[in-house]
Structure formats: structure tokens, C-alpha cells
Amino acid sequence: MNAALIIIFATIILSAFLGIYAGRRVKMNLENWTVGGRKFGIIIIWLLMAGEIYTTFTFLGASGWAYSKGAPTFYILIYGALAYTVSFFVLPALWKVGKRYGLHTQPDFFIKRYDSRYLGVFVALIGVVCIIPYLQLQLKGLGLIVQVASNGAVHPQIAIGISFVLTCAFVYTSGIKGTAWVAVVKDILMILAVFIVGIGVPYIYFGGFGKMFKTLIEQKPDYLVFPGAVPEMDVLWIMSTLLVMGFGFYMWPHVFGSAFSARSARIIKRNAVIMPFYQIPILLIFMVGFTALLVIPGLEDGDMAFLALVNKTYPSWFMGFVGAAGAVTAMVPSAILVLFASTLLAKNVCQTGFRPRMSEEKVMTLSRFMVLVIMTFALIFAIFLPNELVPLLIFGYNGVSQFFPGVVLGLFWKRVARTGVFCGLIAGVTVVLILILSKNDPFLGMNAGFVGLAVNSVITVLVSLKTKPSNGGIK
Amino acid sequence: MGKGTKLALILGAIPFITLVFALPLVNRIEPVILGLPFLLFWILSWVILTPLILFLAYRLEKKFNPPEEED
């Protein structure tokens, strides 16, 4: 066994134990399991939200896009700043409603605000369909990272299998609190790895990032302005994608849910203020991708650029450290995704849709069982059908952003009605699906999700104005 | 809507103007500033300024809105 392997496995096993340990002496009911009893302070909320933003996609994808596409990768640096700005205005109002009515999930909000069980079930199902491909992507990324970091000694399926068991264990026992504790480990490792590599490689090969960019401007200037190396990702695509992601980010069921875990609305507001700082290390990830473009051009898979360059530059124990950081970086978002997907299925599909009188304890037991079901499902896809869910992955962000009109209008406009939200949501999702499946994304240079969101908003408003207001649940 | 909320919303529009709508105008390499191509420099600057803008919005809301609206 080499040093890299020992570092990777010691890290993921210790992290999982930390996660399990976090849940000791907490009586696990649904409130504690999903929203941490609404007791989280600013630091833990920050770590948790950061845990949701920095995924393996950020690690491998941001450098991979810099390497294979160039400037379009800059959207990854930008959209967070927009999303936090939106959250500054929207989330505190949402937190207050959540607190007043004891809401745990996103569909809970729709059910309460629009007084409609069916809308709740519909929202829950769209949420789960969007989450599962993301979960699979995390597992797949984890397998890849551990394989490369161990220099091929560990087969990806074994790495996926081990982390699958560990992640299930700490989510099952400790819920959101366990995840938050593991997120601390993840953030420290991840930030260290990104700073060391991001500052290190431009310096080692070029003597600094300024000289690296100078070489890049001489050799591949196209990579540094839109549309980079991909003509269909021109500036209009970037702008429409940024709007979809800025509005859509907090519409992910798990990100939406984390708003309920805060102790107060003020904590959420202050969190929105400090969140954009978390974006800055992404710049360093770009540096790694651009350096790789100059130093090791011609990789078949751009997403491997980060790992390939580290492998070429650093000793193998350091590769083990990066592998460990990468593996935990996949485990934390996986945990959050599966936690929320299972709660959606148990609470908002089974209980809301079919068994309204199911007791809180039963919902809790069912949620935990669903953790195993969903993880197994994602595991099977990750191992046997690694590419089958790619269209769903593209659908994911565009799909969840369709909740935006229903949430924001629901919070701030009394007139918006159930039928309007239903029609808008169906229209938006249908437009997105048609554009993606007929290969018309981008449509007229715009992101398909943006087109869907525009149609959705117009229909929601028009239909609401023509129908009776349904303000069933909220003051 | 309180005066504080209005001011905060105006400030909140700044990241959207600079980081989305202004992009076609700043899509260029020159001038290179602090070693960064201009487009990347522009984006990075506004990403760093966004928390400061939101902090200002937070203070203005606190100052102008009646305290019971905040929690």
C-alpha cells in the first residue's frame, strides 16, 4: 500500500466517523435530521452552504472548462455572487415563513402558500429528478479522483462503493448535523489543496500567474474572451446562463432547505454578505486549468486537467492529499443531496400524496430508508450506466430554476395563484425539455433554461391575474 | 416598502449590471491589469466588491427600516 492510498482512506474514514459522532446525544426527529432543529449559527451555515457549492464539479469542472473551453468557465466564478445577492433579499422572508409554519422542505412551502397537495407532490418529483443525476455525478467524480490519485491502484468502483457505505452511515445516523461537521474537514482540505496547487503550478512552470497569462495571450488569446474555444457559448449564452443560475441556485431543494436550518433571519442575511468571498478560490482553479493548457495540451478529457497536472508536478503523497480532498469534496454534497431527496420522497410524495395521516416518526423512518434506496440507485447508475443521465444533468439547473417565480412571487405578491404557478411551472419545464431533447439548446444563442424561465414567469403572472387568488396558508 | 429596503434593492442591482449586462462591453484582453486579462480582472473585481455592496445594503436596511421588520 502506498502513501497516497493511506492518506485517502484514512481521511474518508475519519471524516465519516466525525459525521457519525456529531449526531450522538441528539434525539433524531425530522426537525433535527433535516434542518438541525433550526439552531445553526453563522459559521456552520456558511460551511454548510459552501459544502453545497464546492462540489467535485467545481474542482474538476472549473479547471476542465478553462482547459477545454476557455473564457466560458468564468461563469462559475460569477454566478455565486449573483445567487447570494438574490438570497440576501429572498431568503430572510422565506426563513420567517418556514419558522412560523414549521416547514422543512421546498414542497412544504408550495403546499402551505398555495394550499395544494398536488402542487407539493409535483414540485417534490421535479426536485428528485433533478437531484439524482447530480448525485451520480458526485459518485462518478469521486471514483475518478481516487483512481488517478492512487495511480490506478484502486478501481473507481471500489472507491465509489466504500464512500457510498460511509456516506450512508453518517447521513443515516446524524442527518444534516453530521454533514455539517464533515463539511468542516472538507473545506479545510479543499482550500489547502486549491491554494497550494493554484498558486504553485503557475509559479513552478512560468514564475507567476502574470507570466503564465502573458504566455497564454501570446499563444491562445481566444481562450481569454468569450466565446473562448466554443463558438456556441458566446456572450449572450453566458449572460442568459448567469441569470438562470443566479435565480436558480437557491431553488435547488437542498440549498432552499438549508435556509431553514439557520437560527434567525438575520444570520441568513449576514451569511449572504460573506458568501461571495468563498468564490475567490475558484480563480485559482482557473489558473490550474490554464497552466495545464500550456504545459500538457491535448488531453482527451479536459476534466482530468487538474489531476493530470498535479500528478506531473508533485510527489505521490501530495497526490494522495489532493485525492483525499477530492473524495471528501464528493462525499459532502452527496450527503446533502441524498438527505434532501429522501426527505422529499418520504414527506412530500408518500405522506403528502398518499398517506396524509402518517405519523412524524414513520416519515422519519421512511426518509432514512429512502437514503439507502436513492444512494443505491445513484450507485447503480454511476457504475453501470455512467453516461445515461447526462441529458438529465443538463436539465437539472434549468429544471429547478423554474421554481423561482412560484417562490418569489409567492413570498412578495399576494395576487399570485395556484393555477398560475401550476401552469407556469408546467410550461417552463416543457419548454426546457423540448429545447434540450430537440438539441435546440442554446436557443437563438440563449440558455434553454432562460427561455423556459421567461415563458414560465409570463404565464404565471397572466394566469394568476385571470383567476381567483388562492392565499390559503400564509397570513 | 421601507426606505432601507429600496436603497438595498438599488445596491443589489449593481452585481447584475456589472457581472451580467456589462459583459459585452468588457469582453477584451487589453489592458492587462495586475497580470490579469481585462475580462477576468473586471469579473474578479466585482466578485470581490459584491460582499462589500451587500454589507452596505445590510447597514442601510438596519438604519432606515423600523427594527421590528428585522429579525
Side-chain angles (χ1 to χ4, degrees):
Chain A
M1 226 178 171
N2 60 36
L5 267 187
I6 297 170
I7 295 172
I8 293 171
F9 283 109
T11 309
I12 61 176
I13 291 167
L14 283 177
S15 309
F17 274 106
L18 183 69
I20 295 167
Y21 181 74
R24 86 210 180 284
R25 279 184 288 164
V26 178
K27 198 187 156 291
M28 272 304 153
N29 52 31
L30 204 57
E31 176 100 353
N32 280 328
W33 198 64
T34 54
V35 294
R38 282 178 233 278
K39 284 203 203 82
F40 287 174
I42 188 151
I43 292 171
I44 207 84
I45 284 285
W46 195 60
L47 287 168
L48 199 60
M49 289 202 171
E52 288 155 7
I53 294 156
Y54 273 82
T55 69
T56 45
F57 175 74
T58 328
F59 221 157
L60 303 181
S63 53
W65 271 45
Y67 181 90
S68 57
K69 297 185 170 69
T73 195
F74 295 160
Y75 91 85
I76 302 171
L77 178 61
I78 304 176
Y79 81 85
L82 304 175
Y84 312 136
T85 306
V86 172
S87 82
F88 180 91
F89 297 99
V90 175
L91 256 57
L94 184 62
W95 182 89
K96 283 177 196 164
V97 174
K99 168 86 174 164
R100 191 176 304 135
Y101 300 102
L103 311 180
H104 299 128
T105 66
Q106 189 177 41
D108 285 355
F109 171 79
F110 279 88
I111 294 165
K112 192 74 201 166
R113 169 62 179 82
Y114 297 106
D115 197 18
S116 165
R117 281 165 57 199
Y118 298 109
L119 188 58
V121 174
F122 186 53
V123 167
L125 288 175
I126 296 179
V128 174
V129 168
C130 294
I131 281 181
I132 287 180
Y134 256 67
L135 188 58
Q136 183 227 350
L137 181 75
Q138 301 300 325
L139 292 177
K140 205 172 119 184
L142 183 141
L144 212 63
I145 289 172
V146 176
Q147 185 192 22
V148 175
S150 67
N151 222 342
V154 181
H155 198 274
Q157 295 177 0
I158 295 169
I160 293 173
I162 294 171
S163 57
F164 160 83
V165 172
L166 292 172
T167 307
C168 283
F170 74 78
V171 174
Y172 190 96
T173 52
S174 310
I176 193 91
K177 197 171 172 208
T179 311
W181 280 41
V182 183
V184 177
V185 178
K186 174 217 147 187
D187 284 337
I188 295 170
L189 293 180
M190 172 72 188
I191 294 287
L192 269 178
V194 165
F195 269 84
I196 294 171
V197 180
I199 294 173
V201 291
Y203 186 79
I204 290 168
Y205 290 103
F206 297 96
F209 71 89
K211 288 182 190 140
M212 186 273 286
F213 275 119
K214 210 166 153 246
T215 318
L216 197 59
I217 291 168
E218 280 160 17
Q219 294 186 6
K220 296 182 188 236
D222 296 351
Y223 272 71
L224 293 167
V225 285
F226 303 125
V230 266
E232 67 273 20
M233 289 181 173
D234 210 343
V235 70
L236 190 59
W237 182 87
I238 299 285
M239 290 164 73
S240 54
T241 301
L242 282 172
L243 290 176
V244 169
M245 297 187 75
F247 294 140
F249 179 69
Y250 278 90
M251 297 302 124
W252 277 100
H254 55 289
V255 191
F256 192 96
S258 60
F260 294 144
S261 346
R263 199 165 52 215
S264 70
R266 191 181 285 277
I267 282 187
I268 291 185
K269 211 150 230 193
R270 283 178 14 205
N271 185 57
V273 173
I274 58 173
M275 279 306 281
F277 284 122
Y278 221 100
Q279 294 292 106
I280 297 165
I282 293 176
L283 178 73
L284 297 174
I285 305 181
F286 295 160
M287 304 281 191
V288 181
F290 284 136
T291 306
L293 177 64
L294 293 166
V295 178
I296 42 169
L299 285 182
E300 202 172 299
D301 183 0
D303 291 350
M304 298 305 295
F306 192 103
L307 296 172
L309 190 60
V310 171
N311 218 355
K312 183 181 157 70
T313 315
Y314 294 95
S316 84
W317 66 266
F318 186 78
M319 192 65 201
F321 169 70
V322 171
V328 185
T329 302
M331 282 165 74
V332 171
S334 300
I336 299 172
L337 289 168
V338 73
L339 180 79
F340 278 92
S342 59
T343 314
L344 291 184
L345 280 183
K347 187 166 192 243
N348 299 115
V349 177
C350 296
Q351 188 197 30
T352 313
F354 303 100
R355 294 274 158 77
R357 267 168 300 180
M358 193 190 267
S359 73
E360 190 97 318
E361 289 85 65
K362 280 242 174 76
V363 175
M364 175 75 209
T365 313
L366 188 61
S367 298
R368 281 182 154 170
F369 174 67
M370 285 296 176
V371 168
L372 305 179
V373 174
I374 293 170
M375 277 300 260
T376 309
F377 198 70
L379 183 75
I380 291 170
F381 269 99
I383 292 179
F384 299 108
L385 302 161
N387 298 317
E388 296 300 309
L389 297 182
V390 171
L392 276 182
L393 204 59
I394 302 169
F395 174 71
Y397 237 107
N398 301 334
V400 292
S401 65
Q402 305 305 322
F403 298 143
F404 190 76
V407 171
V408 170
L409 294 174
L411 285 170
F412 299 109
W413 190 39
K414 285 195 176 62
R415 193 71 187 73
V416 66
R418 179 195 308 151
T419 326
V421 173
F422 238 129
C423 295
L425 199 50
I426 291 172
V429 169
T430 312
V431 166
V432 172
L433 276 179
I434 289 175
L435 289 179
I436 291 176
L437 294 176
S438 66
K439 308 239 180 291
N440 275 308
D441 178 27
F443 180 72
L444 303 176
M446 287 179 292
N447 182 312
F450 181 77
V451 182
L453 192 55
V455 172
N456 175 347
S457 309
V458 170
I459 291 185
T460 305
V461 171
L462 287 183
V463 175
S464 292
L465 288 172
K466 293 275 173 210
T467 50
K468 215 160 63 95
S470 49
N471 201 355
I474 294 188
K475 48 169 173 130
Chain B
M1 200 190 286
K3 189 182 170 198
T5 314
K6 260 185 215 152
L7 290 171
L9 277 171
I10 293 170
L11 284 172
I14 295 176
F16 280 85
I17 294 166
T18 54
L19 287 170
V20 180
F21 298 105
L23 288 182
L25 308 173
V26 297
N27 192 19
R28 47 198 280 183
I29 294 174
E30 300 291 339
V32 175
I33 303 175
L34 300 173
L36 297 173
F38 187 72
L39 176 63
L40 189 55
F41 173 79
W42 172 271
I43 291 170
L44 185 69
S45 310
W46 286 104
V47 169
I48 293 172
L49 286 172
T50 301
L52 304 179
I53 293 168
L54 290 181
F55 180 69
L56 191 61
Y58 179 78
R59 294 307 295 259
L60 287 174
E61 274 194 346
K62 225 171 144 182
K63 191 172 168 196
F64 289 109
N65 284 4
E68 63 270 18
E69 265 190 48
E70 288 286 315
D71 183 31

